[in-house]
Amino acid sequence: MAQTPASTGSEAHPADPPVARPTLKPRWWRDAVFYEIFVRSFADSDGDGIGDFKGLTAKLDYLNDGDPTTDTDLGITGIWLMPIHPSPSYHGYDVTDYTGVNPQYGTLADFDAFIAAANARGIKVIIDFVMNHSGRDHPWFTSARKGPESKHRDWYTWRADDPGWTQPWGSGPVWHRAGKDYYYGLFWGGMPDLNLANPEVEAEMIRSMRFWLDRGVAGFRVDAARHFFESADGKLSDQPASHDLVKRVRKALEESHPGVMLIGEIWTDVETVATYAGDDDEFHMAFGFTTAGSLRESANDGLKASFNQVQPRLKKAYADRNFEAPFLANHDMKRVMRTLREDPGAMRVASAALFAQAGSPFIYYGEELGMLGGPSGQDEDKRTPMPWTIGGDHRGFTTGTPWRSRPEKPGVDVESQRGKAGSLWTLFRDLIRVRASHKALSDGEVAPVRITGKHRGLTGLIRTHGDEKVLFLVNFHGEKTTPFTVKISEEAEVIFAEGLMGQPTQAKGELSFAGLKGRGFAFVKLR
Ligand code: CA
């Protein structure tokens, strides 16, 4: 591991890549399972109450120890780090240096060591990249707000009056006063939007992304991508120029770093999300917000309706279903276990249904334990410290005072659940392994399944890749089903199931099932 100086500012970074870059096979993400991590809340190595790179590196064996013969690790193969850059906020989405690391998280050398350790275990790392806006305290904006003569003035968007535009999702203002002019900042005044129409800004963003790719990062989760550009008459989302920018960035990065992956945060309906695939020349993946909502809703109300209504929309919207990355919740949402009212059965069927979806799934840290986070609606309560141990003042997260304290209930910790039969952790581990060992699940086509009879909670999917075919059945409802049949002519082999009543039998082009217990599911290989 080469040593490099710690980050000190935009102009002071070493130019030489310090670590060997991982070999990125084309479309490496297609059979990956990702794990989203808020560094501040994952593991604290030095007792200051703030999670850091060294703490995270020490916990990598928990995520994937690099040895396929062990079963004490989750087995994820991708990590998404929420922003790691210097920032005045706890969350980091208001970046003040795109090629530095937050000193609270460690040094650039600590980050390099983390990347090397992750890559050694077969884990690819993507990082959050916030190119829609910088922080208000970024030197570019500090300079720009001084006046029209600043060389960074045109790195942001200014006008002499406030046209009164408001945020698309609410009523907040988007033009903010600085001196006698107004600057555009969609999220709030502390996050001035970068003027991505300025070629200098675009070039700087690409240069910054290459800086991280040179350090062994495998791609980026691109924040707020539907808001890159706004129209002159106040349309603030999904402008053609945003699509064009994504195309140019992807092309530039693929030329210098083949195999790079860009996943977009396009927080809207699936039909709009799908447009960001372009002609396979925009994002490589985008998050499935509509799908996530349907999984939570069906798990919550016990009914198949929400799940079933979304599937045809997905089929219609996506040329390639694996473009969409499914998930249950992320750092902007209540913890899924809280949404599911702490019902462990609901959590189990939601998790199973997640891993049956097309696309590379994303797990939010602690989801595998059923973390609840805090009770308030504040974002901090969605991003609370990870509980590692049964005992200890802070469940093994820190020896000091945690930056945020929202104790989880007994049993919601790694020590209680890791490898224990019947735990949510063990279910996640097993689902990850089932998916990893079946290409039909990780990168297959999706087809609906015809089930006889009326069952409020029973539904499923068929996933196919080449000769491999896997049937997924799930009973979202708490009551067991009556016997049912599925119109399938193949023989069945149960791979992994909970609550399956007996083995399916084949006769006359139909698979007969004795039933699925309440909150049961089954993965069945067909041959
Ligand atoms: Ca620390």
Side-chain angles (χ1 to χ4, degrees), residues 312-511:
R313 287 177 62 191
L314 299 172
K315 182 179 169 61
K316 194 173 169 197
Y318 292 118
D320 173 3
R321 282 283 297 272
N322 293 285
F323 172 75
E324 181 180 285
F327 65 99
L328 294 175
N330 68 20
H331 63 279
D332 286 323
M333 299 166 176
K334 270 198 292 191
R335 285 282 181 179
V336 61
M337 187 58 122
R338 186 174 288 281
T339 303
L340 299 179
R341 296 165 298 175
E342 301 181 51
D343 179 335
M347 186 70 201
R348 294 180 86 82
V349 283
S351 307
L354 170 68
F355 282 86
Q357 298 302 306
S360 311
F362 278 67
I363 302 165
Y364 184 43
Y365 77 94
E367 204 162 80
E368 74 278 18
L369 307 171
M371 271 181 77
L372 289 177
S376 82
Q378 292 178 304
D379 282 343
E380 290 92 326
D381 268 356
K382 304 161 184 166
R383 307 164 184 175
T384 53
M386 176 85 167
W388 293 95
T389 56
I390 294 169
D393 287 345
H394 304 296
R395 310 290 284 275
F397 165 69
T398 181
T399 56
T401 305
W403 75 274
R404 182 121 182 142
S405 184
R406 284 285 186 271
E408 294 287 339
K409 293 180 177 175
V412 182
D413 59 71
V414 172
E415 186 180 358
S416 297
Q417 294 193 35
R418 188 178 184 175
K420 303 290 163 57
S423 75
L424 185 61
W425 187 94
T426 299
L427 175 63
F428 268 79
R429 180 201 66 190
D430 292 346
L431 287 167
I432 291 168
R433 277 164 174 68
V434 165
R435 187 179 178 92
S437 54
H438 294 88
K439 200 79 181 160
L441 291 172
S442 64
D443 196 14
E445 302 288 318
V446 189
V449 57
R450 286 175 56 200
I451 301 170
T452 59
K454 290 199 190 312
H455 306 273
R456 288 179 294 175
L458 178 64
T459 184
L461 296 169
I462 295 178
R463 305 289 313 278
T464 309
H465 187 275
D467 293 338
E468 190 180 72
K469 214 172 194 185
V470 175
L471 166 69
F472 171 69
L473 294 169
V474 57
N475 178 17
F476 286 113
H477 205 271
E479 309 262 316
K480 72 176 183 192
T481 71
T482 51
F484 60 91
T485 64
V486 180
K487 277 216 173 308
I488 279 174
S489 55
E490 289 98 332
E491 295 288 336
E493 177 201 338
V494 177
I495 307 166
F496 183 52
E498 284 187 8
L500 182 64
M501 298 151 69
Q503 294 292 311
T505 54
Q506 172 60 246
K508 297 178 185 165
E510 288 193 330
L511 277 182

Side-chain angles (χ1 to χ4, degrees), residues 44-52 104:
D44 174 24
S45 72
D46 60 3
D48 68 355
I50 295 172
D52 44 54
Q104 293 178 324

Side-chain angles (χ1 to χ4, degrees), residues 155-170:
W155 286 42
Y156 298 88
T157 304
W158 300 88
R159 56 188 289 163
D161 61 330
D162 177 0
W165 304 352
T166 53
Q167 293 168 328
W169 56 84

